[in-house]
Amino acid sequence: MRMPASSPATEAPAHMDTSVEIEDVAVRFRTRRKDVTALHDVSLSVAAGEFVAIVGPSGCGKSTLLKLVSGLMKPSKGQVTLLGEKVDGPRRDIGYVFQRAALLEWRSARKNILLQAEMRGMPSAVARERADELIAMTGLTGFEDAYPHELSGGMQQRVALCRALLHRPPVLLMDEPFGALDALTREHMNIELRRIWRETGTTILLVTHSIPEAVYLADRVVVMSARPGTIDELIAVDLPLERDYGKTMSEPGFARATGRIRDLLGAATSAD
Amino acid sequence: MAVQSAREAPVGVAERARPGVAEQALRVLGRAWRPAALLALLFAGWWVITATGLVQPYLVASPGDTFAVIGDKFDYFWQNTLVTLWETLAGFVLAIVVGVLAAVMMVYSPTIERTLYPLLLFAQVIPKIAVAPLFVVWLGFGIEPKILVALLMAFFPVVISMVTGLKSIDPEMLQLSATMGAGPLKTFYKIRMPASLPHLFSGLKIGVTLAVTGAVVGEFVGANEGLGYVIQQANGNFDTPVLFAGLVVISLLGIVLFALVELLEYFVLPWHASRRVDAATTSM
């Protein structure tokens, strides 16, 4: 890792519990023709309730990192600890949101959200109440009975978010959740995600391609480089907790962080 | 604030109002008149070549004679139709049961897939009409060999469509299911099975028409009842009107069964893309 040892962003603040601990992890794929190193020498510690964004060029293993945390994939080397427990196989104490909403088209919005409860065997009264709460929180009210094809991309992604939050997961993993949305909808979703994060206190790991999105939303931004995928730098975002979208964009802290990330990513791409 | 803008803008959600009965009837008429006109034209052509004496009546029976004989011998046709219908349905239902089970096993086990696939293909390419006599030797002159031929004919499209359907699931959906702590059984009946139904139904529609053919082929080889038997008898007696009537009834049977599967699909898959109101309006 090429990060400065004195950086205050290196480790999670000591007074908080650690939610996700990634220790010296490597992932290698063996294809028929060659060995591919997707991740190399990656260590990261995320505090409980922290919002961490991960940015980097395509193919740097950002999504792989989330798969490791969820246990959908196993590292070739190193280990991942989630909520104090070593990750070994798919974990159910997380929520996952993909770029595509991945909704079941034969279920209404509410039924899609409740899939989470049915699969886990949650008591249905509790689940229904929680679903109503989330529907109101994400602004889906009035669209509960609509089918996925009747909803816009932004609305579909809200449904996926509600589904991921239904069981109050302590950790939420988001893999480019707004990547397929238009710029305006994306801004709205950023504002709402920030608000939801503050209301729920969930630890969030967000993979994104958008530098402003990463800086606006996160406490810390992980900048990765490709081939092999590794962490370049951890950037602590110097912005207040209460972030008005428009005002934040013109803050000096915002400009500093985005500028630094652009420098890093620019260097990474020109080095290719 | 995104909420409000989405609620104000009608693009947020598609028009959900259902059209009234009169409007729907008009819509059905609007769609039905073209095929109806084509069918009428074919009947007119049939009538013209027989009425003008262009073709001898012992070669092609006139529409009048054909439908008159159905009326005259209604009980005869009805009884034999019921026999063929029963064979067809038994073969078709067995094909669904065996086909769906085989597809599920093949999707969950690559070893079973590799083992079964060549056998399936072999069972499909072997001419059913050539093995049908063998079934009669094995199973006798009852309905069993007919059911078996119907089963063999309908089986292949059911398996292939079901395998395609089960494999078409979004892999992210399966990963999501794993993070929800769902076991394979729950994942199957909550996600995989419903997601495969649109594919399965296209296989069922092909399968049901092939099952009719299978039953009739089985009857050709050795039977003393059923529509295949009716046609064979009529052929032996040079009774062209009965032969034509048999053809008409078999076709009707196939069409009715196909329509029933479509109707079932309509009720089972109201959510599917092909059933959407906006899709229907743009096709008109």
Side-chain angles (χ1 to χ4, degrees):
Chain A
M1 266 184 285
R2 277 171 278 166
M3 61 188 180
S6 62
S7 163
T10 311
E11 276 167 35
H15 62 276
M16 287 193 205
D17 293 334
T18 306
S19 194
V20 180
E21 184 78 54
I22 300 167
E23 290 164 86
D24 194 22
V25 153
V27 173
R28 283 181 290 271
F29 299 107
R30 185 158 293 172
T31 62
R32 214 172 297 167
R33 300 179 63 193
K34 56 176 179 181
D35 285 2
V36 180
T37 306
L39 281 178
H40 175 67
D41 204 10
V42 172
S43 295
L44 178 69
S45 185
V46 180
E50 201 182 3
F51 198 136
V52 171
I54 305 165
V55 295
S58 302
C60 71
K62 306 184 291 282
S63 303
T64 308
L65 206 55
L66 293 193
K67 294 244 160 83
L68 290 177
V69 173
S70 63
L72 289 171
M73 242 169 115
K74 285 195 171 100
S76 318
K77 188 189 146 213
Q79 74 164 22
V80 180
T81 311
L82 176 64
L83 305 164
E85 233 179 288
K86 188 177 178 248
V87 176
D88 189 26
R91 288 288 288 261
R92 43 180 296 178
D93 40 4
I94 52 150
Y96 218 124
V97 182
F98 294 103
Q99 178 171 359
R100 281 172 301 153
L103 301 177
L104 301 176
E105 45 175 336
W106 57 91
R107 282 170 170 250
S108 65
R110 184 197 297 275
K111 285 276 207 169
N112 261 295
I113 296 168
L114 287 171
L115 178 75
Q116 181 78 262
E118 290 168 28
M119 294 304 226
R120 295 174 177 268
M122 272 168 79
S124 67
V126 177
R128 275 201 301 272
E129 197 181 310
R130 174 71 176 151
D132 287 339
E133 212 177 291
L134 287 167
I135 285 167
M137 191 201 276
T138 53
L140 275 170
T141 311
F143 296 91
E144 303 98 317
D145 298 322
Y147 284 86
H149 73 267
E150 297 169 314
L151 295 171
S152 63
M155 283 296 180
Q156 289 187 11
Q157 209 51 271
R158 277 169 229 251
V159 176
L161 185 62
C162 289
R163 182 180 58 190
L165 290 172
L166 189 79
H167 53 301
R168 302 179 191 272
V171 176
L172 182 63
L173 306 173
M174 308 183 83
D175 192 351
E176 291 183 49
F178 312 130
L181 305 182
D182 63 88
L184 201 61
T185 310
R186 192 171 189 154
E187 280 186 17
H188 288 317
M189 294 299 284
N190 283 347
I191 294 163
E192 283 182 37
L193 180 61
R194 175 89 194 164
R195 180 175 55 76
I196 289 164
W197 170 69
R198 297 211 52 201
E199 281 174 31
T200 57
T202 308
T203 310
I204 300 184
L205 264 72
L206 168 88
V207 164
T208 177
H209 271 125
S210 160
I211 297 172
E213 181 173 285
V215 173
Y216 169 72
L217 284 170
D219 297 323
R220 285 190 298 159
V221 180
V222 176
V223 184
M224 294 185 68
S225 63
R227 271 158 284 194
T230 190
I231 295 179
D232 250 6
E233 197 167 309
L234 286 154
I235 291 162
V237 177
D238 181 22
L239 286 170
L241 264 179
E242 202 65 56
R243 295 181 190 176
D244 176 88
Y245 197 83
K247 270 190 204 140
T248 303
M249 296 289 133
S250 52
E251 295 250 0
F254 185 84
R256 258 201 313 278
T258 51
R260 179 68 189 138
I261 297 169
R262 280 211 179 84
D263 282 349
L264 286 164
L265 292 179
T269 45
S270 61
D272 268 1
Chain B
M1 92 200 238
V3 191
Q4 271 144 10
S5 64
R7 226 179 269 157
E8 282 156 21
V11 287
V13 77
E15 185 60 55
R16 298 201 73 200
R18 295 276 174 262
V21 177
E23 201 185 328
Q24 266 188 325
L26 267 177
R27 216 177 253 182
V28 169
L29 267 179
R31 268 195 297 247
W33 78 267
R34 271 174 235 269
L38 182 65
L39 208 62
L41 203 67
L42 283 173
F43 266 88
W46 180 15
W47 181 78
V48 165
I49 59 168
T50 50
T52 53
L54 206 66
V55 182
Q56 291 303 308
Y58 71 89
L59 293 176
V60 177
S62 72
D65 289 349
T66 302
F67 288 100
V69 89
I70 295 179
D72 290 346
K73 299 183 164 189
F74 186 79
D75 282 347
Y76 174 70
F77 279 105
W78 180 245
Q79 290 306 323
N80 285 298
T81 304
L82 286 183
V83 172
T84 305
L85 174 67
W86 168 236
E87 294 161 356
T88 303
L89 286 182
F92 182 53
V93 169
L94 285 173
I96 297 173
V97 173
V98 181
V100 167
L101 279 177
V104 170
M105 289 196 300
M106 283 164 71
V107 167
Y108 278 91
S109 161
T111 317
I112 292 179
E113 182 172 18
R114 277 195 299 271
T115 317
L116 274 186
Y117 221 96
L119 191 74
L120 277 184
L121 201 62
F122 179 71
Q124 169 63 11
V125 294
I126 193 163
K128 253 62 82 186
I129 196 150
V131 288
L134 202 58
F135 294 159
V136 174
V137 174
W138 291 346
L139 301 169
F141 281 86
I143 59 166
E144 293 87 353
K146 290 91 181 172
I147 293 176
L148 188 59
V149 180
L151 163 74
L152 275 179
M153 295 276 281
F155 176 69
F156 197 67
V158 174
V159 182
I160 297 295
S161 60
M162 190 65 186
V163 168
T164 313
L166 288 172
K167 283 186 175 173
S168 68
I169 185 76
D170 186 347
E172 285 182 348
M173 205 56 235
L174 296 179
Q175 292 179 341
L176 207 59
S177 178
T179 67
M180 293 175 176
L185 202 67
K186 238 178 183 176
T187 306
F188 179 77
Y189 78 80
K190 293 253 188 217
I191 299 176
R192 273 200 122 143
M193 183 72 194
S196 69
L197 286 180
H199 286 93
L200 177 64
F201 266 100
S202 58
L204 292 184
K205 283 189 260 183
I206 302 170
V208 78
T209 57
L210 289 177
V212 177
T213 310
V216 171
V217 164
E219 288 163 357
F220 277 168
V221 178
N224 44 27
E225 52 182 353
L227 291 170
Y229 168 77
V230 168
I231 285 183
Q232 275 230 315
Q233 287 295 94
N235 203 23
N237 299 337
F238 289 106
D239 193 346
T240 318
V242 171
L243 201 156
F244 268 73
L247 285 178
V248 168
V249 175
I250 290 174
S251 313
L252 280 177
L253 182 63
I255 290 168
V256 167
L257 288 176
F258 183 88
L260 284 177
V261 175
E262 272 217 320
L263 195 69
L264 188 65
E265 183 187 32
Y266 183 85
F267 285 111
V268 175
L269 309 173
W271 49 270
H272 194 240
S274 60
R275 297 264 165 262
R276 283 169 203 162
V277 179
D278 47 347
T281 43
T282 47
S283 72
M284 279 183 26

